[in-house]
Amino acid sequence: METVHQLTVSPDFTPDHISGWYVFNTWLQRNLGLHIHLEMYDSFEAQRQAIQADRVDMIYANPYDASMLVREKGFRAVARPLGIADECVIVVPAESTVQHVEDLQPGARVASTDDPDIRLVGMIMLEAADLHKGNIESVPVDGYVLVAKALLQGRADVGFFLKDAWDGLSNAVRKQLRPLVTSQISDIQHAFLVGPHLAGSVEDIQGLLVRMGEIEKGAGVLESLGFQGWEALDHEETEFMIDLMDTLKAE
């Protein structure tokens, strides 16, 4: 019986690209000669449960979870998308009197998803206003469109967005909102990781991703993902990103 390998994607991808990941999965299967099933999880918690149960073999992971995947589960980071960093945008309603992060007051209602790296970076940025989890009101939502909705409906005073998700909002929505600040931590990015069950295929997978734009239909698949291409990640670069995330977690 042929082994089926599971591919999954960090739940913070933009909805516009969901079909792109299914196309990518088909392309990957064809070029690797492996049977791969793409499983999408509704939440980070559900995805982490699958990882802990060793059901995941390949993952496009957020940098927060990369630390656990590499150091606890034996995954290897092989590639990252070109020119896409995980920056956090802090946003308020357009009519808000808040002009700078420092203007925010204790008790502020903060809308965020369960995207761990963006929430982490966002909370660090709020420290400029002496805000922390003990003196804000958290407004948890299931996606970045719902962060925008919470701001527009007056249920939140400020919201955290992954920059890619903020850029993907419609102009009509963005006109009703106003970004205060965007983080500039260009060294934290999502990455494509390969698990222990596919250890023997790491070099093949890395080479395939890096050459994706040159391979038949690869350029079109990249476009459907919103990527320019992939660049190889080596061990030192992976360790640097993980150390940086661990430093931010300790802030």
Side-chain angles (χ1 to χ4, degrees):
M1 185 174 174
E2 186 180 7
T3 302
V4 180
H5 301 285
Q6 187 187 115
L7 165 68
T8 189
V9 178
S10 181
D12 53 10
F13 65 89
T14 54
D16 291 354
H17 296 137
I18 186 168
S19 61
W21 283 108
Y22 282 96
V23 174
F24 173 79
N25 184 57
T26 300
W27 182 89
L28 202 59
Q29 288 186 90
R30 186 177 299 126
N31 284 278
L32 287 174
L34 297 173
H35 189 176
I36 304 167
H37 169 69
L38 175 62
E39 184 72 34
M40 296 292 201
Y41 293 96
D42 293 335
S43 69
F44 285 93
E45 185 55 37
Q47 188 177 78
R48 287 191 195 116
Q49 288 174 8
I51 291 166
Q52 292 299 339
D54 296 325
R55 295 203 301 270
V56 174
D57 299 303
M58 289 181 284
I59 178 172
Y60 180 62
N62 71 84
Y64 190 99
D65 286 339
S67 174
M68 174 268 292
L69 286 158
V70 171
R71 294 191 172 160
E72 296 177 26
K73 303 302 290 184
F75 276 68
R76 182 169 158 192
V78 298
R80 62 187 169 195
L82 287 166
I84 299 177
D86 279 29
E87 303 294 1
C88 173
V89 186
I90 294 185
V91 174
V92 295
E95 72 277 8
S96 172
T97 58
V98 173
Q99 298 298 318
H100 307 282
V101 168
E102 292 82 358
D103 297 336
L104 291 165
Q105 299 296 315
R109 298 167 299 164
V110 181
S112 66
T113 71
D114 62 350
D115 190 342
D117 57 322
I118 296 304
R119 190 170 57 194
L120 174 68
V121 173
M123 287 307 300
I124 290 172
M125 292 164 75
L126 289 190
E127 289 175 2
D130 293 323
L131 297 182
H132 50 79
K133 63 183 180 181
N135 66 359
I136 63 162
E137 181 184 334
S138 292
V139 182
V141 295
D142 289 335
Y144 288 110
V145 170
L146 297 179
V147 173
K149 192 171 182 179
L151 292 168
L152 295 175
Q153 292 181 341
R155 293 185 290 110
D157 305 304
V158 62
F160 298 157
F161 288 86
L162 176 68
K163 187 176 186 302
D164 192 39
W166 166 252
D167 292 342
L169 293 176
S170 70
N171 288 333
V173 170
R174 285 198 294 167
K175 281 180 181 176
Q176 299 176 71
L177 301 172
R178 176 164 44 84
L180 293 180
V181 65
T182 301
S183 68
Q184 294 182 323
I185 313 173
S186 57
D187 292 309
I188 59 171
Q189 296 175 272
H190 280 54
F192 195 90
L193 286 80
V194 178
H197 294 157
L198 286 170
S201 301
V202 162
E203 290 186 7
D204 290 342
I205 294 169
Q206 184 178 60
L208 191 63
L209 293 180
V210 171
R211 294 183 294 107
M212 190 168 175
E214 306 161 18
I215 298 171
E216 184 182 4
K217 297 185 178 177
V221 178
L222 283 168
E223 187 176 343
S224 71
L225 294 173
F227 293 173
Q228 299 170 19
W230 298 91
E231 62 180 344
L233 257 179
D234 61 29
H235 178 73
E236 289 75 18
E237 290 169 320
T238 303
E239 287 296 317
F240 177 79
M241 185 173 74
I242 290 172
D243 287 343
L244 179 57
M245 285 306 303
D246 287 347
T247 300
L248 292 175
K249 291 176 194 177
E251 288 284 329

